[in-house]
Amino acid sequence: ERNIKMQEQLRNRLVELKEAEGVSYIHISRNIDISKTTISLFIKGKRDLSKAVEYRLRVFLSRYDEY
C-alpha cells in the first residue's frame, strides 16, 4: 500500500510539473532513461515504475523542488 501511495504521489507531481513549469513528458523520460510509452502508461495509471526508475524520477523531480 505504501508503494501505491508513493507511485500516485509521483504521478501527481509529474502532472503538476507539466502544467506549472511546462516540462514535457518526453524531456522527463529522456532524463530518467525510460521510454515515452512507459511514462505515458505510468501517468495514466496503467503501469507502475520499478524501484530504480522511481529513484531516478525522484532525483529528477528534486531539481525542480529546490526552486
PDB file of all heavy atoms in Angstrom, residues 1-17 25 41-49 54 57-58 61:
ATOM      1  N   GLU A   1       0.830  -1.205   0.000  1.00  0.00           N
ATOM      2  CA  GLU A   1       0.000   0.000   0.000  1.00  0.00           C
ATOM      3  C   GLU A   1       0.863   1.253   0.000  1.00  0.00           C
ATOM      4  O   GLU A   1       0.543   2.217  -0.674  1.00  0.00           O
ATOM      5  CB  GLU A   1      -0.934   0.003   1.208  1.00  0.00           C
ATOM      6  CG  GLU A   1      -1.863   1.198   1.181  1.00  0.00           C
ATOM      7  CD  GLU A   1      -2.805   1.218   2.359  1.00  0.00           C
ATOM      8  OE1 GLU A   1      -3.404   0.169   2.661  1.00  0.00           O
ATOM      9  OE2 GLU A   1      -2.910   2.283   2.963  1.00  0.00           O
ATOM     10  N   ARG A   2       1.950   1.230   0.741  1.00  0.00           N
ATOM     11  CA  ARG A   2       2.833   2.394   0.778  1.00  0.00           C
ATOM     12  C   ARG A   2       3.367   2.705  -0.612  1.00  0.00           C
ATOM     13  O   ARG A   2       3.422   3.862  -1.020  1.00  0.00           O
ATOM     14  CB  ARG A   2       3.989   2.137   1.747  1.00  0.00           C
ATOM     15  CG  ARG A   2       4.941   3.292   1.869  1.00  0.00           C
ATOM     16  CD  ARG A   2       5.989   3.002   2.957  1.00  0.00           C
ATOM     17  NE  ARG A   2       6.875   4.123   3.106  1.00  0.00           N
ATOM     18  CZ  ARG A   2       8.032   4.251   2.463  1.00  0.00           C
ATOM     19  NH1 ARG A   2       8.432   3.313   1.633  1.00  0.00           N
ATOM     20  NH2 ARG A   2       8.794   5.307   2.646  1.00  0.00           N
ATOM     21  N   ASN A   3       3.753   1.665  -1.343  1.00  0.00           N
ATOM     22  CA  ASN A   3       4.283   1.860  -2.693  1.00  0.00           C
ATOM     23  C   ASN A   3       3.220   2.437  -3.627  1.00  0.00           C
ATOM     24  O   ASN A   3       3.524   3.273  -4.473  1.00  0.00           O
ATOM     25  CB  ASN A   3       4.843   0.551  -3.258  1.00  0.00           C
ATOM     26  CG  ASN A   3       5.599   0.797  -4.549  1.00  0.00           C
ATOM     27  OD1 ASN A   3       6.416   1.713  -4.639  1.00  0.00           O
ATOM     28  ND2 ASN A   3       5.314  -0.005  -5.552  1.00  0.00           N
ATOM     29  N   ILE A   4       1.972   2.024  -3.447  1.00  0.00           N
ATOM     30  CA  ILE A   4       0.880   2.545  -4.272  1.00  0.00           C
ATOM     31  C   ILE A   4       0.735   4.044  -4.039  1.00  0.00           C
ATOM     32  O   ILE A   4       0.597   4.817  -4.985  1.00  0.00           O
ATOM     33  CB  ILE A   4      -0.439   1.803  -3.967  1.00  0.00           C
ATOM     34  CG1 ILE A   4      -0.332   0.349  -4.422  1.00  0.00           C
ATOM     35  CG2 ILE A   4      -1.618   2.490  -4.636  1.00  0.00           C
ATOM     36  CD1 ILE A   4      -1.467  -0.533  -3.954  1.00  0.00           C
ATOM     37  N   LYS A   5       0.795   4.459  -2.784  1.00  0.00           N
ATOM     38  CA  LYS A   5       0.694   5.887  -2.466  1.00  0.00           C
ATOM     39  C   LYS A   5       1.867   6.666  -3.036  1.00  0.00           C
ATOM     40  O   LYS A   5       1.704   7.773  -3.542  1.00  0.00           O
ATOM     41  CB  LYS A   5       0.617   6.099  -0.954  1.00  0.00           C
ATOM     42  CG  LYS A   5      -0.713   5.726  -0.362  1.00  0.00           C
ATOM     43  CD  LYS A   5      -0.742   6.023   1.120  1.00  0.00           C
ATOM     44  CE  LYS A   5      -2.066   5.620   1.721  1.00  0.00           C
ATOM     45  NZ  LYS A   5      -2.131   5.889   3.156  1.00  0.00           N
ATOM     46  N   MET A   6       3.058   6.096  -2.949  1.00  0.00           N
ATOM     47  CA  MET A   6       4.243   6.768  -3.467  1.00  0.00           C
ATOM     48  C   MET A   6       4.150   6.938  -4.982  1.00  0.00           C
ATOM     49  O   MET A   6       4.486   7.999  -5.507  1.00  0.00           O
ATOM     50  CB  MET A   6       5.504   5.986  -3.084  1.00  0.00           C
ATOM     51  CG  MET A   6       5.798   6.037  -1.595  1.00  0.00           C
ATOM     52  SD  MET A   6       7.173   4.979  -1.105  1.00  0.00           S
ATOM     53  CE  MET A   6       8.537   5.929  -1.755  1.00  0.00           C
ATOM     54  N   GLN A   7       3.689   5.902  -5.662  1.00  0.00           N
ATOM     55  CA  GLN A   7       3.550   5.975  -7.118  1.00  0.00           C
ATOM     56  C   GLN A   7       2.502   7.026  -7.493  1.00  0.00           C
ATOM     57  O   GLN A   7       2.699   7.796  -8.432  1.00  0.00           O
ATOM     58  CB  GLN A   7       3.175   4.604  -7.696  1.00  0.00           C
ATOM     59  CG  GLN A   7       4.221   3.535  -7.484  1.00  0.00           C
ATOM     60  CD  GLN A   7       5.197   3.381  -8.631  1.00  0.00           C
ATOM     61  OE1 GLN A   7       4.853   3.570  -9.777  1.00  0.00           O
ATOM     62  NE2 GLN A   7       6.417   3.021  -8.305  1.00  0.00           N
ATOM     63  N   GLU A   8       1.428   7.083  -6.738  1.00  0.00           N
ATOM     64  CA  GLU A   8       0.382   8.069  -7.011  1.00  0.00           C
ATOM     65  C   GLU A   8       0.899   9.490  -6.779  1.00  0.00           C
ATOM     66  O   GLU A   8       0.593  10.401  -7.547  1.00  0.00           O
ATOM     67  CB  GLU A   8      -0.846   7.792  -6.144  1.00  0.00           C
ATOM     68  CG  GLU A   8      -2.067   8.586  -6.541  1.00  0.00           C
ATOM     69  CD  GLU A   8      -2.535   8.341  -7.965  1.00  0.00           C
ATOM     70  OE1 GLU A   8      -2.419   7.206  -8.464  1.00  0.00           O
ATOM     71  OE2 GLU A   8      -3.013   9.297  -8.604  1.00  0.00           O
ATOM     72  N   GLN A   9       1.698   9.672  -5.753  1.00  0.00           N
ATOM     73  CA  GLN A   9       2.302  10.982  -5.497  1.00  0.00           C
ATOM     74  C   GLN A   9       3.205  11.398  -6.654  1.00  0.00           C
ATOM     75  O   GLN A   9       3.205  12.554  -7.071  1.00  0.00           O
ATOM     76  CB  GLN A   9       3.109  10.960  -4.196  1.00  0.00           C
ATOM     77  CG  GLN A   9       2.266  10.917  -2.956  1.00  0.00           C
ATOM     78  CD  GLN A   9       3.099  10.755  -1.694  1.00  0.00           C
ATOM     79  OE1 GLN A   9       4.246  10.324  -1.740  1.00  0.00           O
ATOM     80  NE2 GLN A   9       2.515  11.083  -0.558  1.00  0.00           N
ATOM     81  N   LEU A  10       3.954  10.439  -7.172  1.00  0.00           N
ATOM     82  CA  LEU A  10       4.825  10.740  -8.313  1.00  0.00           C
ATOM     83  C   LEU A  10       4.006  11.114  -9.546  1.00  0.00           C
ATOM     84  O   LEU A  10       4.351  12.043 -10.273  1.00  0.00           O
ATOM     85  CB  LEU A  10       5.736   9.553  -8.624  1.00  0.00           C
ATOM     86  CG  LEU A  10       6.895   9.337  -7.660  1.00  0.00           C
ATOM     87  CD1 LEU A  10       7.612   8.036  -7.971  1.00  0.00           C
ATOM     88  CD2 LEU A  10       7.863  10.501  -7.717  1.00  0.00           C
ATOM     89  N   ARG A  11       2.930  10.383  -9.781  1.00  0.00           N
ATOM     90  CA  ARG A  11       2.045  10.715 -10.913  1.00  0.00           C
ATOM     91  C   ARG A  11       1.540  12.150 -10.790  1.00  0.00           C
ATOM     92  O   ARG A  11       1.588  12.922 -11.745  1.00  0.00           O
ATOM     93  CB  ARG A  11       0.840   9.774 -10.954  1.00  0.00           C
ATOM     94  CG  ARG A  11       1.100   8.449 -11.556  1.00  0.00           C
ATOM     95  CD  ARG A  11      -0.187   7.626 -11.703  1.00  0.00           C
ATOM     96  NE  ARG A  11       0.187   6.298 -12.104  1.00  0.00           N
ATOM     97  CZ  ARG A  11       0.400   5.292 -11.275  1.00  0.00           C
ATOM     98  NH1 ARG A  11       0.243   5.447  -9.971  1.00  0.00           N
ATOM     99  NH2 ARG A  11       0.761   4.110 -11.735  1.00  0.00           N
ATOM    100  N   ASN A  12       1.043  12.481  -9.621  1.00  0.00           N
ATOM    101  CA  ASN A  12       0.518  13.822  -9.392  1.00  0.00           C
ATOM    102  C   ASN A  12       1.595  14.879  -9.569  1.00  0.00           C
ATOM    103  O   ASN A  12       1.348  15.938 -10.157  1.00  0.00           O
ATOM    104  CB  ASN A  12      -0.094  13.928  -7.989  1.00  0.00           C
ATOM    105  CG  ASN A  12      -1.343  13.088  -7.846  1.00  0.00           C
ATOM    106  OD1 ASN A  12      -2.005  12.748  -8.821  1.00  0.00           O
ATOM    107  ND2 ASN A  12      -1.656  12.722  -6.617  1.00  0.00           N
ATOM    108  N   ARG A  13       2.782  14.596  -9.087  1.00  0.00           N
ATOM    109  CA  ARG A  13       3.888  15.558  -9.202  1.00  0.00           C
ATOM    110  C   ARG A  13       4.266  15.779 -10.670  1.00  0.00           C
ATOM    111  O   ARG A  13       4.566  16.903 -11.073  1.00  0.00           O
ATOM    112  CB  ARG A  13       5.089  15.061  -8.398  1.00  0.00           C
ATOM    113  CG  ARG A  13       6.246  16.004  -8.383  1.00  0.00           C
ATOM    114  CD  ARG A  13       5.918  17.287  -7.631  1.00  0.00           C
ATOM    115  NE  ARG A  13       7.050  18.180  -7.683  1.00  0.00           N
ATOM    116  CZ  ARG A  13       7.129  19.261  -8.470  1.00  0.00           C
ATOM    117  NH1 ARG A  13       6.126  19.600  -9.239  1.00  0.00           N
ATOM    118  NH2 ARG A  13       8.205  20.011  -8.461  1.00  0.00           N
ATOM    119  N   LEU A  14       4.257  14.724 -11.459  1.00  0.00           N
ATOM    120  CA  LEU A  14       4.569  14.857 -12.883  1.00  0.00           C
ATOM    121  C   LEU A  14       3.542  15.732 -13.593  1.00  0.00           C
ATOM    122  O   LEU A  14       3.897  16.592 -14.397  1.00  0.00           O
ATOM    123  CB  LEU A  14       4.633  13.479 -13.558  1.00  0.00           C
ATOM    124  CG  LEU A  14       5.866  12.651 -13.277  1.00  0.00           C
ATOM    125  CD1 LEU A  14       5.716  11.271 -13.886  1.00  0.00           C
ATOM    126  CD2 LEU A  14       7.107  13.338 -13.816  1.00  0.00           C
ATOM    127  N   VAL A  15       2.280  15.514 -13.293  1.00  0.00           N
ATOM    128  CA  VAL A  15       1.214  16.316 -13.904  1.00  0.00           C
ATOM    129  C   VAL A  15       1.366  17.778 -13.482  1.00  0.00           C
ATOM    130  O   VAL A  15       1.274  18.684 -14.321  1.00  0.00           O
ATOM    131  CB  VAL A  15      -0.183  15.762 -13.532  1.00  0.00           C
ATOM    132  CG1 VAL A  15      -1.283  16.698 -13.991  1.00  0.00           C
ATOM    133  CG2 VAL A  15      -0.373  14.375 -14.138  1.00  0.00           C
ATOM    134  N   GLU A  16       1.641  18.011 -12.208  1.00  0.00           N
ATOM    135  CA  GLU A  16       1.843  19.378 -11.712  1.00  0.00           C
ATOM    136  C   GLU A  16       3.025  20.045 -12.412  1.00  0.00           C
ATOM    137  O   GLU A  16       2.949  21.217 -12.793  1.00  0.00           O
ATOM    138  CB  GLU A  16       2.125  19.367 -10.206  1.00  0.00           C
ATOM    139  CG  GLU A  16       0.946  19.034  -9.343  1.00  0.00           C
ATOM    140  CD  GLU A  16       1.353  18.842  -7.877  1.00  0.00           C
ATOM    141  OE1 GLU A  16       2.518  19.142  -7.513  1.00  0.00           O
ATOM    142  OE2 GLU A  16       0.509  18.372  -7.103  1.00  0.00           O
ATOM    143  N   LEU A  17       4.104  19.302 -12.562  1.00  0.00           N
ATOM    144  CA  LEU A  17       5.302  19.849 -13.189  1.00  0.00           C
ATOM    145  C   LEU A  17       5.029  20.235 -14.642  1.00  0.00           C
ATOM    146  O   LEU A  17       5.447  21.297 -15.097  1.00  0.00           O
ATOM    147  CB  LEU A  17       6.443  18.833 -13.107  1.00  0.00           C
ATOM    148  CG  LEU A  17       7.809  19.306 -13.574  1.00  0.00           C
ATOM    149  CD1 LEU A  17       8.314  20.450 -12.702  1.00  0.00           C
ATOM    150  CD2 LEU A  17       8.799  18.158 -13.555  1.00  0.00           C
ATOM    151  N   TYR A  25       6.743  15.459 -20.972  1.00  0.00           N
ATOM    152  CA  TYR A  25       6.990  14.084 -20.540  1.00  0.00           C
ATOM    153  C   TYR A  25       8.147  13.482 -21.341  1.00  0.00           C
ATOM    154  O   TYR A  25       8.882  12.635 -20.826  1.00  0.00           O
ATOM    155  CB  TYR A  25       5.732  13.231 -20.686  1.00  0.00           C
ATOM    156  CG  TYR A  25       4.610  13.663 -19.760  1.00  0.00           C
ATOM    157  CD1 TYR A  25       3.290  13.608 -20.167  1.00  0.00           C
ATOM    158  CD2 TYR A  25       4.867  14.122 -18.480  1.00  0.00           C
ATOM    159  CE1 TYR A  25       2.254  13.997 -19.327  1.00  0.00           C
ATOM    160  CE2 TYR A  25       3.842  14.514 -17.627  1.00  0.00           C
ATOM    161  CZ  TYR A  25       2.543  14.454 -18.060  1.00  0.00           C
ATOM    162  OH  TYR A  25       1.531  14.839 -17.227  1.00  0.00           O
ATOM    163  N   LEU A  41       2.138   5.431 -19.898  1.00  0.00           N
ATOM    164  CA  LEU A  41       1.369   4.407 -19.180  1.00  0.00           C
ATOM    165  C   LEU A  41       1.383   4.670 -17.675  1.00  0.00           C
ATOM    166  O   LEU A  41       0.379   4.457 -16.993  1.00  0.00           O
ATOM    167  CB  LEU A  41       1.916   3.015 -19.482  1.00  0.00           C
ATOM    168  CG  LEU A  41       1.684   2.513 -20.906  1.00  0.00           C
ATOM    169  CD1 LEU A  41       2.447   1.213 -21.148  1.00  0.00           C
ATOM    170  CD2 LEU A  41       0.207   2.333 -21.200  1.00  0.00           C
ATOM    171  N   PHE A  42       2.507   5.140 -17.162  1.00  0.00           N
ATOM    172  CA  PHE A  42       2.602   5.469 -15.735  1.00  0.00           C
ATOM    173  C   PHE A  42       1.643   6.601 -15.385  1.00  0.00           C
ATOM    174  O   PHE A  42       0.897   6.514 -14.419  1.00  0.00           O
ATOM    175  CB  PHE A  42       4.046   5.835 -15.373  1.00  0.00           C
ATOM    176  CG  PHE A  42       4.189   6.294 -13.955  1.00  0.00           C
ATOM    177  CD1 PHE A  42       4.017   5.405 -12.901  1.00  0.00           C
ATOM    178  CD2 PHE A  42       4.482   7.612 -13.659  1.00  0.00           C
ATOM    179  CE1 PHE A  42       4.131   5.832 -11.583  1.00  0.00           C
ATOM    180  CE2 PHE A  42       4.606   8.049 -12.351  1.00  0.00           C
ATOM    181  CZ  PHE A  42       4.431   7.152 -11.308  1.00  0.00           C
ATOM    182  N   ILE A  43       1.643   7.656 -16.175  1.00  0.00           N
ATOM    183  CA  ILE A  43       0.772   8.805 -15.920  1.00  0.00           C
ATOM    184  C   ILE A  43      -0.700   8.380 -15.934  1.00  0.00           C
ATOM    185  O   ILE A  43      -1.497   8.842 -15.132  1.00  0.00           O
ATOM    186  CB  ILE A  43       1.005   9.919 -16.972  1.00  0.00           C
ATOM    187  CG1 ILE A  43       2.396  10.513 -16.833  1.00  0.00           C
ATOM    188  CG2 ILE A  43      -0.051  11.009 -16.878  1.00  0.00           C
ATOM    189  CD1 ILE A  43       2.667  11.247 -15.557  1.00  0.00           C
ATOM    190  N   LYS A  44      -1.045   7.485 -16.843  1.00  0.00           N
ATOM    191  CA  LYS A  44      -2.434   7.021 -16.966  1.00  0.00           C
ATOM    192  C   LYS A  44      -2.809   6.000 -15.898  1.00  0.00           C
ATOM    193  O   LYS A  44      -3.955   5.573 -15.821  1.00  0.00           O
ATOM    194  CB  LYS A  44      -2.650   6.405 -18.351  1.00  0.00           C
ATOM    195  CG  LYS A  44      -2.550   7.419 -19.465  1.00  0.00           C
ATOM    196  CD  LYS A  44      -2.651   6.744 -20.815  1.00  0.00           C
ATOM    197  CE  LYS A  44      -2.463   7.751 -21.932  1.00  0.00           C
ATOM    198  NZ  LYS A  44      -2.441   7.107 -23.249  1.00  0.00           N
ATOM    199  N   GLY A  45      -1.839   5.594 -15.086  1.00  0.00           N
ATOM    200  CA  GLY A  45      -2.111   4.626 -14.027  1.00  0.00           C
ATOM    201  C   GLY A  45      -2.180   3.193 -14.514  1.00  0.00           C
ATOM    202  O   GLY A  45      -2.665   2.313 -13.807  1.00  0.00           O
ATOM    203  N   LYS A  46      -1.652   2.942 -15.708  1.00  0.00           N
ATOM    204  CA  LYS A  46      -1.705   1.594 -16.273  1.00  0.00           C
ATOM    205  C   LYS A  46      -0.415   0.818 -16.051  1.00  0.00           C
ATOM    206  O   LYS A  46      -0.318  -0.342 -16.429  1.00  0.00           O
ATOM    207  CB  LYS A  46      -2.002   1.676 -17.771  1.00  0.00           C
ATOM    208  CG  LYS A  46      -3.377   2.255 -18.045  1.00  0.00           C
ATOM    209  CD  LYS A  46      -3.693   2.280 -19.512  1.00  0.00           C
ATOM    210  CE  LYS A  46      -5.097   2.825 -19.718  1.00  0.00           C
ATOM    211  NZ  LYS A  46      -5.504   2.793 -21.108  1.00  0.00           N
ATOM    212  N   ARG A  47       0.563   1.477 -15.454  1.00  0.00           N
ATOM    213  CA  ARG A  47       1.836   0.818 -15.205  1.00  0.00           C
ATOM    214  C   ARG A  47       2.510   1.500 -14.029  1.00  0.00           C
ATOM    215  O   ARG A  47       2.444   2.713 -13.878  1.00  0.00           O
ATOM    216  CB  ARG A  47       2.709   0.944 -16.452  1.00  0.00           C
ATOM    217  CG  ARG A  47       4.043   0.284 -16.344  1.00  0.00           C
ATOM    218  CD  ARG A  47       4.806   0.459 -17.629  1.00  0.00           C
ATOM    219  NE  ARG A  47       5.793  -0.583 -17.745  1.00  0.00           N
ATOM    220  CZ  ARG A  47       6.436  -0.870 -18.848  1.00  0.00           C
ATOM    221  NH1 ARG A  47       6.190  -0.199 -19.948  1.00  0.00           N
ATOM    222  NH2 ARG A  47       7.320  -1.831 -18.878  1.00  0.00           N
ATOM    223  N   ASP A  48       3.174   0.720 -13.193  1.00  0.00           N
ATOM    224  CA  ASP A  48       3.973   1.276 -12.111  1.00  0.00           C
ATOM    225  C   ASP A  48       5.438   1.273 -12.531  1.00  0.00           C
ATOM    226  O   ASP A  48       5.842   0.544 -13.431  1.00  0.00           O
ATOM    227  CB  ASP A  48       3.804   0.466 -10.832  1.00  0.00           C
ATOM    228  CG  ASP A  48       2.460   0.715 -10.170  1.00  0.00           C
ATOM    229  OD1 ASP A  48       1.857   1.779 -10.420  1.00  0.00           O
ATOM    230  OD2 ASP A  48       2.014  -0.155  -9.402  1.00  0.00           O
ATOM    231  N   LEU A  49       6.220   2.100 -11.870  1.00  0.00           N
ATOM    232  CA  LEU A  49       7.640   2.180 -12.167  1.00  0.00           C
ATOM    233  C   LEU A  49       8.419   1.223 -11.281  1.00  0.00           C
ATOM    234  O   LEU A  49       8.043   0.976 -10.135  1.00  0.00           O
ATOM    235  CB  LEU A  49       8.136   3.607 -11.917  1.00  0.00           C
ATOM    236  CG  LEU A  49       7.477   4.716 -12.732  1.00  0.00           C
ATOM    237  CD1 LEU A  49       8.030   6.074 -12.301  1.00  0.00           C
ATOM    238  CD2 LEU A  49       7.699   4.496 -14.220  1.00  0.00           C
ATOM    239  N   GLU A  54      11.863   4.706 -10.305  1.00  0.00           N
ATOM    240  CA  GLU A  54      11.243   5.586  -9.307  1.00  0.00           C
ATOM    241  C   GLU A  54      12.306   6.452  -8.638  1.00  0.00           C
ATOM    242  O   GLU A  54      12.120   7.658  -8.458  1.00  0.00           O
ATOM    243  CB  GLU A  54      10.508   4.753  -8.264  1.00  0.00           C
ATOM    244  CG  GLU A  54       9.771   5.574  -7.244  1.00  0.00           C
ATOM    245  CD  GLU A  54       9.042   4.714  -6.226  1.00  0.00           C
ATOM    246  OE1 GLU A  54       8.462   3.674  -6.603  1.00  0.00           O
ATOM    247  OE2 GLU A  54       9.054   5.103  -5.044  1.00  0.00           O
ATOM    248  N   LEU A  57      13.471   9.122 -11.032  1.00  0.00           N
ATOM    249  CA  LEU A  57      12.437  10.149 -11.164  1.00  0.00           C
ATOM    250  C   LEU A  57      12.449  11.077  -9.949  1.00  0.00           C
ATOM    251  O   LEU A  57      12.351  12.299 -10.091  1.00  0.00           O
ATOM    252  CB  LEU A  57      11.066   9.506 -11.333  1.00  0.00           C
ATOM    253  CG  LEU A  57       9.886  10.478 -11.444  1.00  0.00           C
ATOM    254  CD1 LEU A  57      10.090  11.481 -12.589  1.00  0.00           C
ATOM    255  CD2 LEU A  57       8.589   9.700 -11.631  1.00  0.00           C
ATOM    256  N   ARG A  58      12.600  10.520  -8.772  1.00  0.00           N
ATOM    257  CA  ARG A  58      12.646  11.354  -7.563  1.00  0.00           C
ATOM    258  C   ARG A  58      13.849  12.306  -7.598  1.00  0.00           C
ATOM    259  O   ARG A  58      13.741  13.467  -7.222  1.00  0.00           O
ATOM    260  CB  ARG A  58      12.699  10.489  -6.302  1.00  0.00           C
ATOM    261  CG  ARG A  58      11.392   9.820  -6.011  1.00  0.00           C
ATOM    262  CD  ARG A  58      11.406   9.103  -4.673  1.00  0.00           C
ATOM    263  NE  ARG A  58      10.146   8.440  -4.454  1.00  0.00           N
ATOM    264  CZ  ARG A  58       9.019   9.058  -4.119  1.00  0.00           C
ATOM    265  NH1 ARG A  58       9.012  10.360  -3.957  1.00  0.00           N
ATOM    266  NH2 ARG A  58       7.906   8.383  -3.950  1.00  0.00           N
ATOM    267  N   LEU A  61      12.959  15.049 -10.086  1.00  0.00           N
ATOM    268  CA  LEU A  61      11.976  15.979  -9.528  1.00  0.00           C
ATOM    269  C   LEU A  61      12.577  16.863  -8.437  1.00  0.00           C
ATOM    270  O   LEU A  61      12.156  18.006  -8.272  1.00  0.00           O
ATOM    271  CB  LEU A  61      10.771  15.211  -8.977  1.00  0.00           C
ATOM    272  CG  LEU A  61       9.895  14.528 -10.016  1.00  0.00           C
ATOM    273  CD1 LEU A  61       8.857  13.640  -9.340  1.00  0.00           C
ATOM    274  CD2 LEU A  61       9.230  15.545 -10.938  1.00  0.00           C
TER     275      LEU A  61
END
